[in-house]
Amino acid sequence: MVAGAQPECAAAAEATDNTGAGQAASSVLGTLQVKGRAPKTGYKRTQFGKAWADVDHNGCDTRNDILSRDLSGVKHRFGTHSCVVKSGTLQDPYTGKSITFKRGQKTSTAVQIDHVVALSDAWQKGAQKLAKSVRTELANDPYNLLAVQGRANQQKSDGDAATWLPSNKGFRCEYVARQIGVKHKYSLWVTAAEKSAMERVLASCPAQTVPDYTGVRATSAQQSQQNDTQTSQEQAQQQQAAEDAAAAAAQAQQQAQQQSSGSDVYYQNCTAAREAGAAPIYPGQPGYRAALDRDKDGVACE
């Protein structure tokens, strides 16, 4: 290490204790209380402590910890001991899109840090009964935080699974499973509508477990893009198969027409006609068909 240099900040704490990690998400969901949404009365962001506090005391605020964790190709601002993220690329789990992040007054909002379980939602489902120190932990828990597309984060607002799900369908199971893990960890409840929405999502992935890691699996974040690519490839293959089938049917029809007209001469292409010494071929002559007359001048295989 260069003399006088400071060690890089340690990664944010990634505790997954008491989340039900590794267990079937549907089973852990079954352990959560089902109750109505409590009034939002008394909710303020400050009820969850100072925004992006350095709760793990690693020298970096929570926002920059999450950006460093979730972005690739990260570059830090000089002189910040590798804390302040200057730029990087996000593979957004909510949309499946790749987003370039550049720190700046007008550009930073392209990537935002989302509370998987929104703080307002948490407040109305049990968090108001927690000690403020625990609420501060919830607000800065890496398990409950993801770097995502700013527009998607704004659309989600403080919605739960009953009112908002990621447009990236390949990430929905992991997203819902993480919400379940967060609510289990902090003893938060779900509404009946929310539980029903989670059950519908998990029905498509019965093997989904509660995540035992923070951040997201790369395959989940990219699933939407991969699905779109796969769909495009399948559509292209289907179109090609349809074109081949149509060409084969047309060829069979032409052969049948020639045979019905008394001609038993058929040339698959002009090369075959030339090799047989039959080119050029004029209308009415054995082997003539319109498909061989490419310039439509009435003479085939000139």
Side-chain angles (χ1 to χ4, degrees):
M1 182 178 295
V2 178
Q6 296 291 330
E8 292 189 1
C9 296
E14 299 192 350
T16 59
D17 52 298
N18 202 34
T19 60
Q23 299 179 45
S26 56
S27 296
V28 180
L29 174 60
T31 69
L32 301 181
Q33 279 190 300
V34 180
K35 298 173 62 175
R37 184 186 293 272
K40 196 174 179 179
T41 307
Y43 170 74
K44 294 180 180 180
R45 176 61 179 84
T46 53
Q47 293 282 11
F48 291 81
K50 181 181 177 181
W52 308 133
D54 179 17
V55 295
D56 59 2
H57 307 295
N58 70 345
C60 304
D61 65 81
T62 302
R63 173 178 165 78
N64 280 294
D65 276 336
I66 301 304
L67 289 174
S68 292
R69 183 195 69 185
D70 292 353
L71 271 58
S72 62
V74 172
K75 292 184 179 179
H76 295 93
R77 179 178 290 175
F78 179 76
T80 62
H81 311 307
S82 297
C83 275
V84 178
V85 176
K86 184 172 66 173
S87 63
T89 301
L90 172 70
Q91 188 63 44
D92 177 38
Y94 285 179
T95 64
K97 298 178 180 179
S98 180
I99 302 171
T100 299
F101 171 77
K102 183 177 181 181
R103 187 178 184 86
Q105 186 174 359
K106 296 182 179 180
T107 56
S108 288
T109 55
V111 174
Q112 298 178 13
I113 308 303
D114 180 47
H115 289 94
V116 178
V117 172
L119 300 186
S120 172
D121 180 69
W123 178 260
Q124 296 174 79
K125 296 174 182 175
Q128 57 186 278
K129 297 181 180 181
L130 301 175
K132 187 172 182 180
S133 60
V134 179
R135 292 199 298 266
T136 300
E137 178 188 346
L138 167 60
N140 293 276
D141 189 340
Y143 193 80
N144 189 37
L145 298 171
L146 294 177
V148 300
Q149 183 199 65
R151 187 180 302 111
N153 186 39
Q154 295 300 315
Q155 290 173 345
K156 174 188 174 181
S157 186
D158 60 356
D160 59 20
T163 59
W164 187 89
L165 290 169
S167 61
N168 178 6
K169 294 181 180 180
F171 185 66
R172 288 181 178 179
C173 287
E174 183 175 332
Y175 172 76
V176 165
R178 185 173 295 277
Q179 286 189 323
I180 292 170
V182 171
K183 295 206 165 188
H184 186 272
K185 181 174 181 178
Y186 291 96
S187 301
L188 307 177
W189 67 74
V190 292
T191 63
E194 180 182 10
K195 183 176 182 179
S196 294
M198 288 177 162
E199 289 174 335
R200 285 194 297 272
V201 171
L202 295 176
S204 67
C205 48
Q208 177 69 50
T209 58
V210 174
D212 58 357
Y213 51 88
T214 61
V216 300
R217 298 296 194 203
T219 52
S220 298
Q222 297 169 354
Q223 191 64 47
S224 178
Q225 183 177 2
Q226 292 172 348
N227 287 345
D228 291 344
T229 300
Q230 183 177 0
T231 298
S232 297
Q233 291 175 340
E234 291 175 350
Q235 291 175 341
Q237 291 173 351
Q238 292 172 353
Q239 182 177 354
Q240 185 61 52
E243 292 176 353
D244 292 344
Q251 181 174 318
Q253 183 179 8
Q254 289 174 339
Q255 287 177 311
Q257 290 174 344
Q258 287 181 337
Q259 291 173 355
S260 63
S261 66
S263 173
D264 59 356
V265 178
Y266 174 79
Y267 300 114
Q268 183 175 4
N269 50 46
C270 286
T271 299
R274 293 188 183 96
E275 291 177 348
I281 310 173
Y282 296 88
Q285 291 183 335
Y288 177 85
R289 55 193 177 91
L292 299 179
D293 183 7
R294 295 184 180 278
D295 57 4
K296 308 303 180 184
D297 65 350
V299 183
C301 302
E302 298 175 76

